[in-house]
PDB file of all heavy atoms in Angstrom:
ATOM      1  N   ILE U 250     -19.116  -1.424  20.977  1.00 97.00           N
ATOM      2  CA  ILE U 250     -19.950  -1.085  19.740  1.00 97.00           C
ATOM      3  C   ILE U 250     -19.387  -1.737  18.575  1.00 97.00           C
ATOM      4  O   ILE U 250     -18.175  -1.758  18.347  1.00 97.00           O
ATOM      5  CB  ILE U 250     -20.118   0.486  19.587  1.00 97.00           C
ATOM      6  CG1 ILE U 250     -21.257   0.791  18.533  1.00 97.00           C
ATOM      7  CG2 ILE U 250     -18.764   1.156  19.247  1.00 97.00           C
ATOM      8  CD1 ILE U 250     -21.657   2.191  18.514  1.00 97.00           C
ATOM      9  N   VAL U 251     -20.279  -2.480  17.911  1.00 97.00           N
ATOM     10  CA  VAL U 251     -19.884  -3.215  16.704  1.00 97.00           C
ATOM     11  C   VAL U 251     -20.468  -2.763  15.462  1.00 97.00           C
ATOM     12  O   VAL U 251     -21.615  -2.397  15.405  1.00 97.00           O
ATOM     13  CB  VAL U 251     -20.171  -4.785  16.963  1.00 97.00           C
ATOM     14  CG1 VAL U 251     -19.645  -5.667  15.825  1.00 97.00           C
ATOM     15  CG2 VAL U 251     -19.804  -5.297  18.279  1.00 97.00           C
ATOM     16  N   MET U 252     -19.666  -2.769  14.341  1.00 96.00           N
ATOM     17  CA  MET U 252     -20.271  -2.312  13.130  1.00 96.00           C
ATOM     18  C   MET U 252     -19.539  -3.140  11.920  1.00 96.00           C
ATOM     19  O   MET U 252     -18.365  -3.514  12.109  1.00 96.00           O
ATOM     20  CB  MET U 252     -20.133  -0.796  12.885  1.00 96.00           C
ATOM     21  CG  MET U 252     -18.690  -0.297  12.577  1.00 96.00           C
ATOM     22  SD  MET U 252     -18.728   1.516  12.362  1.00 96.00           S
ATOM     23  CE  MET U 252     -19.685   1.622  10.818  1.00 96.00           C
ATOM     24  N   GLY U 253     -20.244  -3.275  10.814  1.00 94.00           N
ATOM     25  CA  GLY U 253     -19.681  -3.919   9.730  1.00 94.00           C
ATOM     26  C   GLY U 253     -18.832  -2.919   8.841  1.00 94.00           C
ATOM     27  O   GLY U 253     -19.159  -1.743   8.783  1.00 94.00           O
ATOM     28  N   ARG U 254     -17.809  -3.382   8.226  1.00 88.00           N
ATOM     29  CA  ARG U 254     -17.027  -2.579   7.299  1.00 88.00           C
ATOM     30  C   ARG U 254     -17.556  -2.825   5.910  1.00 88.00           C
ATOM     31  O   ARG U 254     -17.615  -3.950   5.393  1.00 88.00           O
ATOM     32  CB  ARG U 254     -15.504  -3.000   7.399  1.00 88.00           C
ATOM     33  CG  ARG U 254     -14.594  -1.950   6.717  1.00 88.00           C
ATOM     34  CD  ARG U 254     -13.150  -2.471   6.851  1.00 88.00           C
ATOM     35  NE  ARG U 254     -12.847  -3.481   5.740  1.00 88.00           N
ATOM     36  CZ  ARG U 254     -11.971  -4.433   5.881  1.00 88.00           C
ATOM     37  NH1 ARG U 254     -11.282  -4.529   7.083  1.00 88.00           N
ATOM     38  NH2 ARG U 254     -11.728  -5.253   4.900  1.00 88.00           N
ATOM     39  N   GLY U 255     -17.845  -1.753   5.169  1.00 75.00           N
ATOM     40  CA  GLY U 255     -18.479  -1.809   3.907  1.00 75.00           C
ATOM     41  C   GLY U 255     -17.417  -2.278   2.843  1.00 75.00           C
ATOM     42  O   GLY U 255     -16.226  -2.215   3.051  1.00 75.00           O
ATOM     43  N   HIS U 256     -17.956  -2.704   1.671  1.00 58.00           N
ATOM     44  CA  HIS U 256     -17.137  -2.985   0.478  1.00 58.00           C
ATOM     45  C   HIS U 256     -16.707  -1.712  -0.159  1.00 58.00           C
ATOM     46  O   HIS U 256     -17.488  -0.687  -0.212  1.00 58.00           O
ATOM     47  CB  HIS U 256     -17.941  -3.808  -0.526  1.00 58.00           C
ATOM     48  CG  HIS U 256     -18.296  -5.131  -0.132  1.00 58.00           C
ATOM     49  ND1 HIS U 256     -17.341  -6.203  -0.142  1.00 58.00           N
ATOM     50  CD2 HIS U 256     -19.369  -5.725   0.546  1.00 58.00           C
ATOM     51  CE1 HIS U 256     -17.948  -7.333   0.227  1.00 58.00           C
ATOM     52  NE2 HIS U 256     -19.193  -7.073   0.715  1.00 58.00           N
ATOM     53  N   ARG U 257     -15.472  -1.546  -0.594  1.00 53.00           N
ATOM     54  CA  ARG U 257     -15.066  -0.427  -1.391  1.00 53.00           C
ATOM     55  C   ARG U 257     -15.362  -0.520  -2.829  1.00 53.00           C
ATOM     56  O   ARG U 257     -15.254  -1.635  -3.462  1.00 53.00           O
ATOM     57  CB  ARG U 257     -13.496  -0.266  -1.229  1.00 53.00           C
ATOM     58  CG  ARG U 257     -13.041   0.133   0.144  1.00 53.00           C
ATOM     59  CD  ARG U 257     -11.545   0.437   0.199  1.00 53.00           C
ATOM     60  NE  ARG U 257     -10.831  -0.816   0.053  1.00 53.00           N
ATOM     61  CZ  ARG U 257      -9.504  -0.905  -0.269  1.00 53.00           C
ATOM     62  NH1 ARG U 257      -8.785   0.143  -0.403  1.00 53.00           N
ATOM     63  NH2 ARG U 257      -8.903  -2.060  -0.434  1.00 53.00           N
ATOM     64  N   ALA U 258     -16.025   0.492  -3.370  1.00 45.00           N
ATOM     65  CA  ALA U 258     -16.395   0.398  -4.757  1.00 45.00           C
ATOM     66  C   ALA U 258     -15.166   0.126  -5.676  1.00 45.00           C
ATOM     67  O   ALA U 258     -14.195   0.787  -5.637  1.00 45.00           O
ATOM     68  CB  ALA U 258     -17.013   1.742  -5.181  1.00 45.00           C
ATOM     69  N   LEU U 259     -15.262  -0.860  -6.470  1.00 42.00           N
ATOM     70  CA  LEU U 259     -14.182  -1.307  -7.374  1.00 42.00           C
ATOM     71  C   LEU U 259     -12.810  -1.584  -6.598  1.00 42.00           C
ATOM     72  O   LEU U 259     -11.778  -1.530  -7.318  1.00 42.00           O
ATOM     73  CB  LEU U 259     -13.940  -0.189  -8.500  1.00 42.00           C
ATOM     74  CG  LEU U 259     -15.166   0.143  -9.209  1.00 42.00           C
ATOM     75  CD1 LEU U 259     -14.872   1.278 -10.308  1.00 42.00           C
ATOM     76  CD2 LEU U 259     -15.688  -1.054 -10.056  1.00 42.00           C
ATOM     77  N   GLY U 260     -12.959  -1.735  -5.377  1.00 47.00           N
ATOM     78  CA  GLY U 260     -11.752  -2.080  -4.570  1.00 47.00           C
ATOM     79  C   GLY U 260     -10.796  -0.790  -4.287  1.00 47.00           C
ATOM     80  O   GLY U 260      -9.731  -1.018  -3.815  1.00 47.00           O
ATOM     81  N   VAL U 261     -11.349   0.382  -4.533  1.00 45.00           N
ATOM     82  CA  VAL U 261     -10.530   1.560  -4.380  1.00 45.00           C
ATOM     83  C   VAL U 261     -11.281   2.529  -3.448  1.00 45.00           C
ATOM     84  O   VAL U 261     -12.374   2.280  -3.022  1.00 45.00           O
ATOM     85  CB  VAL U 261     -10.254   2.294  -5.685  1.00 45.00           C
ATOM     86  CG1 VAL U 261      -9.477   1.361  -6.621  1.00 45.00           C
ATOM     87  CG2 VAL U 261     -11.553   2.733  -6.299  1.00 45.00           C
ATOM     88  N   GLY U 262     -10.573   3.555  -2.940  1.00 47.00           N
ATOM     89  CA  GLY U 262     -11.186   4.540  -2.158  1.00 47.00           C
ATOM     90  C   GLY U 262     -10.811   4.248  -0.580  1.00 47.00           C
ATOM     91  O   GLY U 262     -10.076   3.326  -0.305  1.00 47.00           O
TER      92      GLY U 262
END
Side-chain angles (χ1 to χ4, degrees):
I250 190 163
V251 187
M252 68 177 300
R254 192 182 82 208
H256 293 274
R257 290 184 292 167
L259 303 179
V261 299

